[in-house]
């Protein structure tokens, strides 16, 4: 069998939570998965760690089976595709990998050392990606001898469930490398989105603002932690599980957001609530949202009433999932 017809071999540098989640994803999709322990350990300590990692992967797979994703009889088959490799054997294991994901803690220098060492053991055509959630890819790429083969792929926890992967090529990443990685991720059922190099990428920037604001509401005594959690679950996340955030702006109208921002930034005397310039520019160009057919997104030619009804139907499904959909009183 030719190499092109074989399943790609995937490796992950680091055996922590991210590495274990990624291992389950690729093994589930039929790929040989190598988890590389990057810390030198005595053989007994490594054996104990390897058992711990495989036990956790088994627990994840058994849970997914209990939740109805597949039959329990398939767990052992999937688990046999996951191999744990000691630090001393890292180079030999990486030499056979097609894709390598770095999943070590968010420390710039540690990541650079781990990435450089791994790259030196890899084939020239293999792709290596960090999974950093905050460090800019171009702050890592100077460590690489082949920066064209390097980029970032930020997975969201739990990696074995969340479909999104933020793919961020660096200034020197080859376009075909970005395309190859996004196609590979799509082949295993993930939803890759490509973004420009920027610290925090997309989701971490958005969710960090939201998390900080939620904590600040508790600090200021605006509401209890319990009521804020209810507000998030049944209001904020309820709508955003169906609508994208920019789509939601378009639903209400960019002019509504602009006026709300003007009031809130003045009332709280805090410019972090002020609208970004793009909101005003969209208004000036008539890109208000659904009511003008264009906003952040383009709705030209779309049957707006049918589109609205479809989205509201999805919200109704969420309401049913929460056990809150009730029949009318007749």
């Amino acid at each position: 069998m030719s190499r092109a017809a074989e399943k790609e071999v995937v490796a992950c540098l680091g055996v922590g939570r991210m590495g274990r989640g990624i291992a389950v994803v690729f093994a589930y999709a039929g790929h040989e998965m190598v988890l590389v322990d990057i810390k030198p350990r005595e053989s007994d300590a490594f054996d104990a760690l390897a058992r711990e990692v495989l036990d956790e992967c088994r627990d994840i797979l058994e849970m997914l089976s209990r939740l109805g994703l597949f039959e329990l009889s398939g767990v052992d088959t999937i688990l046999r595709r996951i191999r744990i490799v000691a630090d001393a054997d890292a180079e030999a294991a990486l030499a056979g990998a097609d894709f390598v994901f770095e999943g070590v803690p968010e420390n710039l220098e540690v990541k650079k050392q781990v990435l450089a060492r791994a790259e030196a053991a890899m084939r020239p055509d293999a792709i290596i990606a960090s999974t950093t959630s905050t460090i800019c890819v171009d702050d890592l790429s100077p460590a690489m001898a082949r920066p064209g083969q390097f980029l970032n792929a930020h997975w969201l926890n739990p990696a074995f469930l969340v479909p999104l992967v933020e793919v961020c090529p660096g200034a020197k990443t080859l376009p075909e490398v970005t395309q190859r990685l996004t196609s590979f991720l799509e082949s295993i059922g993930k939803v890759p989105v490509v973004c420009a190099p920027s610290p925090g990428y997309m989701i971490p920037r958005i969710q960090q603002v939201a998390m900080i604001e939620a904590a600040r509401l508790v600090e200021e005594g605006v509401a209890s932690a319990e009521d804020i959690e209810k507000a998030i679950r049944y209001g904020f996340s309820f709508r955003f599980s169906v609508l994208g955030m920019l789509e939601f702006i378009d639903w209400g109208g960019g002019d509504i957001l602009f006026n709300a921002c003007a009031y809130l930034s003045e009332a709280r005397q805090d410019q972090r609530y002020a609208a970004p310039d793009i909101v005003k520019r969209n208004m000036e160009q008539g890109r208000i949202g659904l009511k003008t057919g264009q906003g952040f997104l383009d709705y030209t030619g779309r049957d707006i009433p049918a589109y609205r009804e479809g989205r509201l139907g999805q919200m109704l499904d969420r309401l049913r999932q929460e056990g809150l959909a009730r029949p009318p009183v007749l």
Side-chain angles (χ1 to χ4, degrees):
M1 181 183 292
S2 69
R3 184 167 190 85
E6 295 175 355
K7 283 281 191 179
E8 292 88 343
V9 175
V10 183
C12 189
L13 308 169
V15 294
R17 181 175 58 173
M18 181 56 71
R20 298 174 195 194
I22 290 174
V24 169
V25 170
F26 284 108
Y28 185 94
H31 293 274
E32 180 185 342
M33 182 71 216
V34 182
L35 276 173
V36 181
D37 182 20
I38 60 166
K39 295 181 179 179
R41 305 176 196 269
E42 297 294 332
S43 59
D44 288 350
F46 172 75
D47 291 343
L49 175 67
R51 286 193 298 271
E52 174 196 315
V53 172
L54 289 174
D55 284 348
E56 183 172 337
C57 291
R58 177 180 290 279
D59 288 345
I60 292 169
L61 289 166
E62 290 180 349
M63 175 192 67
L64 295 176
S65 174
R66 289 195 301 272
L67 293 173
L69 198 56
F70 67 101
E71 293 297 323
L72 185 63
S73 58
V75 169
D76 286 338
T77 298
I78 298 169
L79 201 61
R80 280 194 293 270
R81 299 181 184 131
I82 300 174
R83 182 162 57 99
I84 318 299
V85 173
D87 177 76
D89 301 317
E91 281 73 14
L94 292 170
D98 298 284
F99 294 89
V100 175
F101 295 92
E102 167 269 308
V104 303
E106 293 288 278
N107 180 293
L108 177 61
E109 293 307 315
V110 170
K111 283 183 178 291
K112 288 168 72 173
Q113 292 170 16
V114 170
L115 286 164
R117 178 189 172 195
E119 183 195 39
M122 293 165 54
R123 300 193 320 270
D125 65 326
I127 291 175
I128 183 167
S130 178
T131 64
T132 177
S133 60
T134 53
I135 299 172
C136 183
V137 63
D138 283 330
D139 289 336
L140 292 167
S141 58
M144 313 306 292
R146 298 188 296 275
Q149 299 295 119
F150 172 69
L151 70 175
N152 193 55
H154 172 225
W155 300 64
L156 278 68
N157 276 313
F160 53 84
L161 283 182
V162 181
L164 184 74
V165 181
E166 295 181 314
V167 175
C168 181
K172 296 183 179 180
T173 305
L174 297 173
E176 56 266 32
V177 167
T178 304
Q179 181 57 54
R180 186 174 152 205
L181 179 61
T182 55
S183 296
F184 184 46
L185 291 169
E186 287 171 345
S187 76
I188 62 166
K190 291 300 178 181
V191 180
V193 290
V194 179
C195 65
S198 177
Y201 303 99
M202 289 181 285
I203 296 302
R205 282 181 62 177
I206 294 169
Q207 70 184 15
Q208 186 162 323
V209 170
M211 290 188 294
I212 289 172
E213 200 64 17
R216 188 173 283 118
L217 288 170
V218 176
E219 182 178 68
E220 294 176 358
V222 173
S224 67
E226 291 75 15
D227 279 344
I228 291 168
E229 291 301 274
K230 285 183 182 178
I232 296 298
R233 180 173 179 182
Y234 298 111
F236 187 90
S237 64
F238 182 87
R239 294 183 295 185
F240 288 126
S241 67
V242 171
L243 295 171
M245 196 157 287
L246 299 177
E247 183 183 17
F248 183 73
I249 295 174
D250 288 349
W251 268 56
D255 52 339
I256 302 297
L257 175 64
F258 181 81
N259 292 328
C261 288
Y263 170 78
L264 196 56
S265 59
E266 175 65 25
R268 296 196 59 82
Q269 290 295 293
D270 193 333
Q271 284 301 299
R272 77 173 183 268
Y273 296 107
D277 290 342
I278 191 172
V279 174
K280 185 176 181 180
R281 288 200 304 272
N282 280 354
M283 289 172 55
E284 292 170 347
Q285 296 167 9
R287 301 176 63 91
I288 304 300
L290 286 183
K291 53 190 169 186
T292 61
Q294 288 189 326
F296 278 96
L297 305 175
D298 188 351
Y299 305 91
T300 304
R302 179 172 288 185
D303 184 335
I304 298 298
Y307 156 69
R308 280 185 180 273
E309 185 171 325
R311 285 290 192 261
L312 293 172
Q314 291 175 291
M315 289 189 191
L316 182 56
D317 288 341
R318 280 296 318 277
L319 202 63
R320 292 190 182 101
Q321 291 170 16
E322 294 288 349
L324 294 174
R326 298 182 179 184
V329 177
L330 301 174

